[in-house]
Amino acid sequence: MHPDAVQRVLGVLLMVFSVTMLPPALLALAASDGVAPAFFLTFLLLIALGGVLWLPVRRSRRELRTRDGFLVVALFWVVLGAAGAMPLVIQTVAPFSLVDAFFESVSGLTTTGATAIVGIDDLPISIRYYRQQLQWLGGMGIIVLAVAILPMLGIGGMQLYRAELPGPVKDAKLTPRIAETAKALWNIYLGLTIACAMAYWLAGMSVFDAITHAFSTVATGGFSTYDDSLGHFDSALIEMIAVVFMLISALNYSLHFMVWRRKSIEPWRRDPEVITFLAVVITVSALVMAGLFAYEAAHDLPRADSWNHAIFQVVSFATTTGYTTADYSLWPAFLPVLLLIVAVVGGCANSTSGGLKVVRVLLLWRQGGREIIRLIHPQAQLPVKIGHRPVNERVIDAVWGFFAAYVVLFVLLMLTLLAMGLDQVTAFSAVASGLANLGPALGDVAANFASVGDGPKLVMCVAMIMGRLEIFTLLVLFTPAFWRR
């Protein structure tokens, strides 16, 4: 463990994050909404705190080890959540409690999209923008952005990259140098954001709404500048644009890089995870559509835009974005729970979406199939394959270990919420939503988390951070072996 290297990186990252307070501060000044002093003060406090951490160890040239990377990432996401809450607490135009501000900040940065706010439409415009910006920064990870800067300071970044990017294939680099990899990821991310904003604007959104909703769409975050989410616009065209960009953002960014470099869609077309993900989305959309049509026919209801709502909500949940256009919690039979299950599966590895990730579920499915065959042919040698390639047994063991830890953590968090007084449906769906970084849930928190107390909100913050860092990044810090020399 190299404490000086960890301290130096944290200082640099805090100073980098402080700069993100300037855009909402300038917007607040232009709109004269009274929040500008809070953003400027937060900027000064964060850059000062980062400087205090960085200056004493600025001459240190120690390379980060893997353990250092895990510690930096875990510490920084907790510190980042607190830092992001600062302007919300400091400003007095729309008062936030300390817990609500922290909850909103963590939800934004982890791209969960759960909110404790009622009356988003009435918030100052700079705060509405700031919430969306938090999700955009969290989408690819502030650390990946910082990794492109760290090599210039003499600090290696691969350890941070491994700890931050989700999925079992995260060690694959797109380019030989990690800084170039981070830049490539952010170029793709920025390009998708610009394209999404242009499409929204051409579909009828204002410039402000187009930019802010592009932030949360490409980040698969789900925050909106309106209480009614995308349903506020009541536009099938806008919803279908969101569907396209949510799907693209839920695919592996390594594949996006290959598609861009080769000028061919073959990497998408041949990838087993992409094929499985799209098959799940299509199948579940058909089930939801059929369920809504059957319900309308059985109750002699007028045929609404069931197909539109079905496709949109399935894609929103499958990508863990969490946008809503209808009150899905009132849908008939098993449909709301089905949507929640799809969200727990999540999108593809190395994407901005949350959940278990499709490739993990695919490996679990094929491993289960192999064990069934082994009951019939005990001596058979049956490798698990993904894309006609055998998967290393160590990877399969890691996936099973992750799944076991996920289930145990899920149960512990749910029992904690039940002990705090939440009902079973609310506790179950809240934990599923938090760990999957989804946002919407069922029961008392179907619309928002304003009705629950501070205790459940803090438990949800733990769930959201655990989900964003895929559990092991934080759990490893609680093992004696991590701290042993």
Side-chain angles (χ1 to χ4, degrees):
M1 187 73 67
H2 295 148
D4 54 343
V6 173
Q7 180 180 335
R8 188 163 178 246
V9 173
L10 279 175
V12 171
L13 294 177
L14 272 176
M15 288 189 287
V16 169
F17 184 65
S18 70
V19 178
T20 66
M21 298 297 156
L22 297 180
L26 295 175
L27 180 60
L29 277 179
S32 300
D33 64 7
V35 188
F39 286 116
F40 281 119
L41 180 57
T42 303
F43 164 72
L44 295 174
L45 290 173
L46 291 180
I47 202 167
L49 179 58
V52 167
L53 290 173
W54 175 74
L55 282 172
V57 292
R58 67 187 183 281
R59 300 188 186 280
S60 172
R61 288 295 179 266
R62 293 195 186 210
E63 184 72 14
L64 282 174
R65 295 179 179 177
T66 301
R67 288 193 299 175
D68 300 330
F70 282 114
L71 182 59
V72 168
V73 170
L75 286 175
F76 191 70
W77 275 91
V78 176
V79 172
L80 194 64
M86 287 175 64
L88 299 179
V89 174
I90 294 172
Q91 60 84 29
T92 57
V93 178
F96 281 75
S97 71
L98 191 60
V99 172
D100 283 353
F102 184 68
F103 179 89
E104 209 71 17
S105 175
V106 170
S107 180
L109 288 167
T110 57
T111 70
T112 303
T115 183
I117 301 173
V118 177
I120 297 172
D121 308 53
D122 301 323
L123 289 175
I125 190 171
S126 58
I127 293 180
R128 295 167 70 199
Y129 168 84
Y130 177 64
R131 294 172 70 250
Q132 306 299 109
Q133 180 184 274
L134 283 175
Q135 289 212 316
W136 190 71
L137 292 172
M140 184 57 67
I142 189 72
I143 292 181
V144 177
L145 173 63
V147 160
I149 300 172
L150 295 180
M152 293 185 289
L153 305 174
I155 303 174
M158 193 62 208
Q159 290 81 2
L160 293 180
Y161 181 73
R162 287 174 178 161
E164 167 64 11
L165 280 185
V169 294
K170 60 188 172 186
D171 286 338
K173 291 191 289 186
L174 311 181
T175 61
R177 295 171 62 92
I178 183 60
E180 294 176 5
T181 298
K183 290 173 183 175
L185 290 172
W186 270 96
N187 284 337
I188 295 169
Y189 190 61
L190 181 60
L192 286 175
T193 305
I194 293 172
C196 184
M198 289 293 296
Y200 278 149
W201 177 65
L202 292 173
M205 282 190 181
S206 67
V207 173
F208 174 79
D209 286 335
I211 293 173
T212 54
H213 284 86
F215 281 173
S216 56
T217 301
V218 175
T220 61
F223 270 169
S224 175
T225 52
Y226 301 98
D227 284 314
D228 292 334
S229 189
L230 277 194
H232 169 84
F233 300 98
D234 193 23
S235 168
L237 177 58
I238 286 175
E239 291 166 17
M240 289 305 106
I241 290 172
V243 164
V244 170
F245 282 95
M246 286 189 291
L247 286 173
I248 292 174
S249 299
L251 302 184
N252 192 320
Y253 268 66
S254 301
L255 294 180
H256 294 336
F257 180 81
M258 293 168 65
V259 166
W260 173 76
R261 174 161 285 187
R262 297 180 184 179
K263 305 297 188 292
S264 168
I265 64 170
E266 283 299 301
W268 288 335
R269 197 175 66 84
R270 294 178 178 272
D271 187 74
E273 187 182 25
V274 171
I275 294 170
T276 303
F277 173 65
L278 295 179
V280 168
V281 169
I282 293 170
T283 302
V284 175
S285 295
L287 286 173
V288 172
M289 206 179 303
L292 292 177
F293 284 156
Y295 180 79
E296 290 168 356
H299 292 79
D300 197 24
L301 298 175
R303 182 64 56 84
D305 294 331
S306 300
W307 68 270
N308 193 39
H309 291 310
I311 293 173
F312 182 86
Q313 290 303 154
V314 169
V315 172
S316 180
F317 274 69
T319 60
T320 71
T321 304
Y323 280 144
T324 56
T325 57
D327 192 350
Y328 64 91
S329 65
L330 300 179
W331 283 1
F334 61 91
L335 298 185
V337 178
L338 177 61
L339 290 176
L340 206 59
I341 291 172
V342 170
V344 171
V345 173
C348 299
N350 284 6
S351 70
T352 58
S353 62
L356 288 168
K357 300 297 186 297
V358 173
V359 68
R360 284 198 182 102
V361 176
L362 187 58
L363 283 171
L364 291 172
W365 175 268
R366 293 187 177 176
Q367 166 67 357
R370 180 173 70 170
E371 293 306 312
I372 293 174
I373 298 299
R374 278 179 171 174
L375 292 174
I376 305 171
H377 304 288
Q379 305 302 319
Q381 298 297 318
L382 303 168
V384 173
K385 294 183 178 180
I386 295 288
H388 306 294
R389 293 183 181 180
V391 178
N392 191 302
E393 291 294 324
R394 186 174 177 182
V395 173
I396 297 174
D397 290 342
V399 170
W400 274 110
F402 175 85
F403 182 69
Y406 195 96
V407 171
V408 170
L409 182 63
F410 189 106
V411 171
L412 291 175
L413 290 172
M414 185 177 69
L415 290 175
T416 303
L417 290 181
L418 288 171
M420 290 179 171
L422 272 63
D423 63 83
Q424 295 175 1
V425 172
T426 301
F428 173 84
S429 62
V431 173
S433 175
L435 285 177
N437 297 134
L438 169 65
L442 302 174
D444 294 339
V445 292
N448 55 62
F449 284 77
S451 62
V452 301
D454 289 348
K457 287 174 186 173
L458 291 175
V459 171
M460 283 299 297
C461 288
V462 173
M464 290 187 284
I465 294 174
M466 283 283 195
R468 179 65 178 88
L469 297 181
E470 304 215 331
I471 298 176
F472 282 152
T473 304
L474 287 181
L475 288 185
V476 71
L477 301 181
F478 296 96
T479 61
F482 180 86
W483 302 100
R484 194 176 299 131
R485 287 181 175 272

